[in-house]
Amino acid sequence: MNSIFAVFFLLTLAVSILFDRKALKKARTAVKVVYFCTILLLLIIFTSPFLHIVIPMPIYFFINTVSPWLVQALGLQA
């Protein structure tokens, strides 16, 4: 991931949180919990490359495990 994109995204996220502050004061507790869990998840995903932490993504499992098996099962392998 390009670090310029990550910094721009985090700045946009911070501005979004500032704008949402007013609406969150009136929101129900469940909405606040989901909002802050989502923000926390986004922060973890976007800051982990800077900390050299690899988060396993489901697409890697599909590409490395399921896709070769499927190609072999269908007999498409040359």
Side-chain angles (χ1 to χ4, degrees):
M1 173 180 10
N2 191 350
S3 60
I4 294 173
F5 171 75
V7 170
F8 179 74
F9 180 81
L10 291 173
L11 287 174
T12 305
L13 185 64
V15 170
S16 174
I17 291 171
L18 290 174
F19 285 134
D20 289 342
R21 235 180 8 180
K22 191 175 187 180
L24 282 174
K25 287 181 183 177
K26 300 174 187 174
R28 294 178 299 163
T29 305
V31 173
K32 291 178 187 178
V33 169
V34 170
Y35 183 84
F36 285 112
C37 285
T38 305
I39 296 296
L40 181 65
L41 182 66
L42 284 172
L43 288 175
I44 289 171
I45 289 173
F46 275 94
T47 56
S48 64
F50 296 114
L51 302 173
H52 304 289
I53 299 171
V54 178
I55 298 175
M57 296 291 173
I59 193 69
Y60 295 127
F61 173 76
F62 180 78
I63 290 172
N64 296 327
T65 307
V66 176
S67 183
W69 174 83
L70 187 62
V71 168
Q72 185 179 8
L74 294 175
L76 300 174
Q77 195 170 16

